[in-house]
Amino acid sequence: MGGLFKQQDLSVFTKQFASLEVRVNVEEQVIENIIATLKTEVKKETPTRELVLECLRSLRNVVAGVKTNQKTVAALLHNQIEFWNYFDESIEKVKAEKDDQMLNILRCSVQLIGNLMVGQTSYQLEIFSPLTRILEKLLTEVEDPKCHNFACMIILTLQKNEENLKDVLADYYKVLASFLPEIVRILESEESSNNSDFTHLCFELFLESPDFLPFLISKDRVGLLPHLPQPILPSTMTLLSTDFTFLTDILLTTTLGSITQLVPTHILSLTHILAESAGQDQYRAVLQSHKSLVLNTLYLLKMVHEAGKAGVENLNVLGKLSDVEKRQGGDKDNITENPTFGFKENLIQLLTNLVWDHAENKTTVGELEGLALILDCSQMDARNPLITQRVVLAVRALTNAHPVNQEILAGLKKVGAADGDLLKELGMERDREGKIRKIEV
């Protein structure tokens, strides 16, 4: 036991190992003695935490950027000390105690594992399972920004080694993607810009790769909308389209009674993205081929429209001149800043783009009485200031080069609140018998 070090010795090593030259030339016996000191201390019923911490600091420093030291320490650490068990115990103690020494021990342990992994693919493969279990606990159970940041340093190392890991580890993408919701939560909840550099880098790398997104649940994936790199990849747009149908399926099986049913599911923001994207060549074919997207958009429009007519708060039509004047006059408290502002017109825009030059989708919407529904949405509405223009475009898209829908339109007895004006916008009029026909030039 004469090879064990005292705390002052370890403090000297910690400082010396800041030099790469010293690290490269360190004797293996010194490393072995540091490990032996750590092993002896952690087995005690009441370890001296200052001594444990200094051992970890020395080991963290000595392995940085030196492959031989990485391999030596990794082998000794896991063979002589049940390090994963010690990790678990440290996490539990940090949760139970308010002790800075214990917290620093946990932080340093994470840093040590992180330094051991850099450039060591075989080690990353070997420890992947116990490591990712520990990472989950660090992100979900430990409330410490530095621990979170150091955990993300490790995740970042695994991300950067994707090419060497993905084919060997069957659950590589699935496991790493499981950390993403917690990383988002951490970034949104912690005001710790000085302690979150790795967290931000890790998050950005997640967003750059489309391979992690399929393993997220719809709610979490849609929550990433504001952060997704532009332009969105077609494969990602397909996922978002599926998310829309999944989330609206849930909504359509309930009674739309309040705005709280729309906001948490992110349907509002997702509708806006899909409405804009469906009008772009790179996405149109992908989105138009998704039949459930067409159906759910139509059914959701019907649901929202009926809720508005029933006077449901935040969805009811604001059609009085005074309501419009309030909006134009800058009264944003209850209109433009409300999450539902423009929602109905976004649904109509999405439906318009989904049927544009697509005969099958036009037929589907026509058969499901979509024309009558859209025309009934034409009333002036301060919540949806472009609603009339959207209705005009939608009717044109549905009836252009589609005789069946043209007949359906001609047979409608009611064309919404803006009856005469809307018909004029469409280049149509009612004859004396009440039938709709094109205006003769």
Side-chain angles (χ1 to χ4, degrees), residues 135-181:
L135 288 173
E136 181 182 5
K137 295 184 76 171
L138 287 169
L139 294 175
T140 61
E141 298 180 19
V142 178
E143 294 300 324
D144 177 61
K146 288 186 177 180
C147 277
H148 294 160
N149 195 42
F150 298 149
C152 286
M153 173 186 70
I154 291 175
I155 297 172
L156 186 65
T157 299
L158 295 172
Q159 289 174 300
K160 289 184 174 180
N161 202 19
E162 176 183 355
E163 287 302 314
N164 293 318
L165 299 177
K166 64 179 183 178
D167 294 328
V168 184
L169 298 168
D171 291 335
Y172 171 78
Y173 290 111
K174 182 179 180 180
V175 172
L176 292 195
S178 69
F179 300 133
L180 187 49

Side-chain angles (χ1 to χ4, degrees), residues 91-358:
I91 289 173
E92 292 306 314
K93 288 177 181 176
V94 165
K95 288 163 57 180
E97 305 173 17
K98 298 294 183 181
D99 182 76
D100 289 342
Q101 287 284 6
M102 197 64 241
L103 181 58
N104 284 328
I105 285 173
L106 180 59
R107 290 171 177 171
C108 206
S109 298
V110 182
Q111 288 178 302
L112 171 56
I113 293 295
N115 286 352
L116 287 171
M117 290 171 55
V118 176
Q120 297 291 338
T121 297
S122 58
Y123 182 62
Q124 293 173 27
L125 290 170
E126 177 187 341
I127 68 170
F128 187 77
S129 181
L131 171 66
T132 50
R133 180 182 61 79
I134 290 294
L135 288 173
E136 181 182 5
K137 295 184 76 171
L138 287 169
L139 294 175
T140 61
E141 298 180 19
V142 178
E143 294 300 324
D144 177 61
K146 288 186 177 180
C147 277
H148 294 160
N149 195 42
F150 298 149
C152 286
M153 173 186 70
I154 291 175
I155 297 172
L156 186 65
T157 299
L158 295 172
Q159 289 174 300
K160 289 184 174 180
N161 202 19
E162 176 183 355
E163 287 302 314
N164 293 318
L165 299 177
K166 64 179 183 178
D167 294 328
V168 184
L169 298 168
D171 291 335
Y172 171 78
Y173 290 111
K174 182 179 180 180
V175 172
L176 292 195
S178 69
F179 300 133
L180 187 49
E182 284 304 317
I183 291 172
V184 172
R185 180 191 64 81
I186 288 166
L187 288 173
E188 290 177 347
S189 63
E190 292 181 0
E191 298 179 2
S192 53
S193 56
N194 293 331
N195 297 315
S196 60
D197 50 342
F198 288 115
T199 310
H200 282 280
L201 289 171
C202 180
F203 179 61
E204 290 169 6
L205 207 54
F206 268 124
L207 297 180
E208 289 175 9
S209 172
D211 296 309
F212 296 104
L213 293 179
F215 296 99
L216 298 177
I217 62 173
S218 292
K219 178 178 67 68
D220 290 334
R221 186 162 45 237
V222 175
L224 294 174
L225 275 176
H227 309 288
L228 290 178
Q230 300 294 328
I232 296 174
L233 294 173
S235 60
T236 301
M237 191 61 68
T238 300
L239 286 172
L240 295 175
S241 174
T242 304
D243 292 333
F244 180 88
T245 58
F246 173 76
L247 295 171
T248 50
D249 277 343
I250 297 172
L251 188 62
L252 290 167
T253 58
T254 66
T255 300
L256 186 57
S258 79
I259 185 60
T260 58
Q261 292 172 279
L262 284 171
V263 177
T265 56
H266 303 286
I267 291 175
L268 298 166
S269 56
L270 186 53
T271 301
H272 177 72
I273 291 289
L274 290 174
E276 293 290 333
S277 301
Q280 300 175 31
D281 292 339
Q282 69 205 86
Y283 306 121
R284 183 179 290 118
V286 170
L287 295 177
Q288 287 183 335
S289 66
H290 191 182
K291 187 67 173 285
S292 294
L293 177 61
V294 179
L295 294 173
N296 282 30
T297 301
L298 180 62
Y299 291 144
L300 183 58
L301 175 61
K302 182 179 181 180
M303 191 178 195
V304 169
H305 184 54
E306 289 179 350
K309 287 166 56 174
V312 173
E313 185 180 2
N314 295 313
L315 292 174
N316 57 309
V317 174
L318 297 179
K320 295 180 181 178
L321 185 59
S322 58
D323 294 326
V324 178
E325 288 175 345
K326 279 184 179 181
R327 182 184 67 79
Q328 293 174 340
D331 181 3
K332 298 181 179 180
D333 289 342
N334 298 314
I335 304 178
T336 59
E337 290 186 352
N338 191 288
T340 57
F341 181 74
F343 181 44
K344 190 190 291 187
E345 65 186 46
N346 282 339
L347 285 169
I348 295 175
Q349 180 188 9
L350 174 55
L351 200 59
T352 300
N353 288 330
L354 290 174
V355 303
W356 196 270
D357 290 337
H358 196 287

Side-chain angles (χ1 to χ4, degrees), residues 17 56 146 254 274 311 351-352 365 368 422 441:
F17 293 155
L56 292 169
K146 288 186 177 180
T254 66
L274 290 174
L351 200 59
T352 300
V365 174
L368 295 173
L422 183 62
V441 180

